[in-house]
Amino acid sequence: LAARNYKAAIDAYQRAVQLKSGEAATLRLANAYSSSGREDEALEILAQFVSRNPANLAANRILASAYLEQQDWRRAAAALKMVQVRSGSEDALLMMELGRAHMGIGKPNEAVAYYYHGYRLQPLNPVITNALGWAMLKAGADRSVALDLLEKAAAMQPQNAIFKKRLEEARPRRT
């Protein structure tokens, strides 16, 4: 892969996966597909591996991330839920990803619950703080609390354009 010869890498990793369908070879093959712009094939390889190895947390996380990137919210939520069942709920990034998937599905109340749990784990994480404030706004929760969270996130990362935009949208319009 370092030489960007994706075809040779894909061929080699396909042979390795056929010989032994191990995690390392499968993840390398998926990476080679992804790096060469063949995202659907990368997803297929990962999904097959996860179906044969459902307890593999790393593969589930990578598959969920790929689903999030493709905005396949339901599949992302299912893969992330599998990770949560096996690893617990004390991972702020996992809670944030579950929140993002549920926002994508159109379930902001569920997203708030996940984001809030992530916020409790990492209250100084500006991304989680912003996501929680935005989800609360979309869920119709207490607007002043949501605005406080959005302001906190924007203060922690004043250069973040998304945080600025969300804060502007959340602030009451002056006439």
Side-chain angles (χ1 to χ4, degrees):
L1 280 178
R4 299 203 187 282
N5 186 350
Y6 299 120
K7 178 159 178 19
I10 288 169
D11 291 343
Y13 292 135
Q14 278 178 328
R15 284 190 301 278
V17 167
Q18 288 169 351
L19 292 173
K20 182 179 184 235
S21 183
E23 176 182 358
T26 301
L27 296 179
R28 286 185 180 116
L29 176 58
N31 184 43
Y33 276 133
S34 181
S35 297
S36 68
R38 296 164 64 180
E39 297 297 329
D40 290 341
E41 289 161 290
L43 267 175
E44 181 61 29
I45 289 294
L46 286 169
Q48 286 175 9
F49 182 78
V50 167
S51 72
R52 290 188 308 271
N53 302 280
N56 187 304
L57 293 177
N60 270 293
R61 285 298 283 263
I62 293 168
L63 181 61
S65 292
Y67 286 143
L68 286 171
E69 284 298 312
Q70 290 199 337
Q71 298 182 357
D72 189 340
W73 308 120
R74 291 187 190 287
R75 285 187 175 150
L80 292 165
K81 198 69 179 155
M82 291 293 290
V83 172
Q84 183 187 22
V85 166
R86 287 186 168 71
S87 68
S89 299
E90 300 308 305
D91 178 339
L93 177 60
L94 176 60
M95 295 298 105
M96 190 176 73
E97 289 176 331
L98 277 160
R100 181 177 172 208
H102 283 84
M103 283 296 287
I105 292 170
K107 296 181 176 182
N109 290 321
E110 289 181 36
V112 166
Y114 287 116
Y115 285 137
Y116 182 71
H117 191 77
Y119 179 77
R120 283 189 13 239
L121 295 168
Q122 290 187 3
L124 297 178
N125 182 313
V127 176
I128 294 173
T129 303
N130 182 269
L132 174 58
W134 189 249
M136 288 178 72
L137 209 62
K138 295 301 178 184
D142 186 331
R143 187 175 192 79
S144 65
V145 174
L147 191 56
D148 285 347
L149 289 164
L150 293 171
E151 287 172 347
K152 177 181 176 181
M156 286 190 279
Q157 281 192 352
Q159 76 285 3
N160 190 307
I162 293 171
F163 291 5
K164 285 180 187 177
K165 182 179 181 213
R166 286 181 173 179
L167 183 56
E168 287 171 16
E169 289 180 31
R171 285 191 170 133
R173 305 245 188 253
R174 296 183 187 175
T175 54

